[in-house]
């Protein structure tokens, strides 16, 4: 036996709510009940009608409708979580994952300026080109996370998965990883190929991005 409840109508002015209850029985019959709830909870009007129909047809229609709703909610939820994680990473000083669209919006619109690097950020940036299978990439990831946290007011750290964002890898001519790109507010980006130590990365940040002397 399957019982499904659907909201048919809701009026915000008189607070009338109609609910549809569909009960499918094992013998192939189903019962449709609908209830009207007014702004006074005690006033409930209920009607029951009985219909005979093949269970497979009704069940198919119901599951198809439920599937459409589920897919729409899932897509919306993913988009909201994606935006939330990007904003949270920026605020809390954590590396931010870049996609094609976010790169165009926040770093460089190479479609509009294909022959000149025009940085769109408001503070210096680091881009970590990595892959999940790359051992050296995993070793430097905590270092870059620490740099992002220690310098959250002065720079932002981005991450680009080369397997998922192949077009962004082509823009920077990435052939070997890890590659860490240092982007100052003014001037051209500088690429560092291969894994370095924490001290070496900190020295590059001070020299290339923060314009301070290294020890």
């Amino acid at each position: 036996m399957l019982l499904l409840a659907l909201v048919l109508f809701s009026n915000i002015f008189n607070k009338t709510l109609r609910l549809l209850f569909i009960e499918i029985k094992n013998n192939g019959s189903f019962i449709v009940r609908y209830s009207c709830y007014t702004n006074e909870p005690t006033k409930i009007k209920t009607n029951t009608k009985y219909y005979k129909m093949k269970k497979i047809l009704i069940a198919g229609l119901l599951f198809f409708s439920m599937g459409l709703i589920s897919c729409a909610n899932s897509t919306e939820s993913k988009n909201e979580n994606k935006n939330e994680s990007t904003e949270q990473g920026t605020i809390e000083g954590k590396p931010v994952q870049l996609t094609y669209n976010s790169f165009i919006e926040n770093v460089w619109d190479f479609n509009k300026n294909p022959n000149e690097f025009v940085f769109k950020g408001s503070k210096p940036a680091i881009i970590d080109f990595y892959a999940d299978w790359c051992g050296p990439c995993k070793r430097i990831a905590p270092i870059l996370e620490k740099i992002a946290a220690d310098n959250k007011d002065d720079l932002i750290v981005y991450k680009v998965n080369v397997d998922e964002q192949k077009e962004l890898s082509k823009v920077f001519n990435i052939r070997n990883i890890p590659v860490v790109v240092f982007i100052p507010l003014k001037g051209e980006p500088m690429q560092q190929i291969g894994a370095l130590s924490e001290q070496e990365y900190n020295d590059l940040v001070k020299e290339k991005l923060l314009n301070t002397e290294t020890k």
Side-chain angles (χ1 to χ4, degrees):
M1 183 178 67
L2 175 66
L3 180 63
L4 179 66
L6 299 174
V7 177
L8 292 182
F9 177 78
S10 178
N11 189 315
I12 61 175
F13 296 104
N14 58 21
K15 299 183 180 179
T16 298
L17 179 66
R18 297 184 181 179
L19 297 177
L20 176 67
F21 297 87
I22 301 177
E23 180 182 353
I24 300 177
K25 296 188 175 182
N26 294 331
N27 61 5
S29 64
F30 69 99
I31 302 173
V32 178
R33 299 185 178 93
Y34 66 88
S35 300
C36 301
Y37 294 78
T38 64
N39 54 355
E40 297 182 13
T42 54
K43 294 184 178 180
I44 301 177
K45 300 178 180 179
T46 303
N47 291 285
T48 302
K49 294 184 179 181
Y50 295 84
Y51 298 90
K52 288 285 185 178
M53 196 172 186
K54 289 187 177 295
K55 180 167 59 177
I56 187 171
L57 176 60
I58 297 300
L61 292 175
L62 293 177
F63 283 118
F64 177 75
S65 300
M66 293 171 65
L68 290 178
I69 296 174
S70 177
C71 289
N73 291 338
S74 176
T75 301
E76 183 178 358
S77 177
K78 287 181 179 179
N79 292 334
E80 290 177 354
N81 290 337
K82 191 174 184 180
N83 293 333
E84 182 180 352
S85 62
T86 300
E87 293 175 358
Q88 184 178 5
T90 303
I91 293 173
E92 296 184 358
K94 297 180 180 179
V96 178
Q97 200 74 29
L98 279 178
T99 62
Y100 177 88
N101 290 333
S102 60
F103 182 91
I104 294 295
E105 180 181 355
N106 298 295
V107 181
W108 173 31
D109 188 349
F110 50 79
N111 296 317
K112 184 178 180 181
N113 301 285
N115 301 319
E116 180 184 9
F117 182 82
V118 180
F119 186 44
K120 302 182 70 174
S122 59
K123 53 186 177 181
I126 296 173
I127 304 180
D128 173 23
F129 286 87
Y130 76 99
D132 292 334
W133 46 264
C134 171
C137 300
K138 294 179 181 179
R139 289 199 299 270
I140 70 171
I143 297 175
L144 297 177
E145 289 176 359
K146 188 174 186 303
I147 290 175
D150 293 343
N151 302 276
K152 62 182 179 180
D153 296 328
D154 300 316
L155 60 82
I156 184 170
V157 177
Y158 293 111
K159 294 178 71 69
V160 173
N161 188 316
V162 296
D163 292 329
E164 297 176 355
Q165 306 297 332
K166 298 183 183 297
E167 189 162 356
L168 297 183
S169 301
K170 291 180 181 178
V171 169
F172 285 91
N173 197 27
I174 304 297
R175 297 182 179 179
N176 299 294
I177 51 175
V179 172
V180 178
V181 180
F182 297 85
I183 306 177
L185 282 178
K186 296 181 180 180
E188 295 295 320
M190 188 276 287
Q191 291 189 12
Q192 173 59 51
I193 302 174
L196 300 180
S197 67
E198 181 176 352
Q199 183 61 52
E200 288 173 315
Y201 279 122
N202 280 320
D203 290 344
L204 285 172
V205 167
K206 293 176 182 178
E207 178 185 352
K208 302 298 182 182
L209 302 183
L210 304 181
N211 298 320
T212 58
E213 295 182 0
T214 58
K215 297 180 181 180

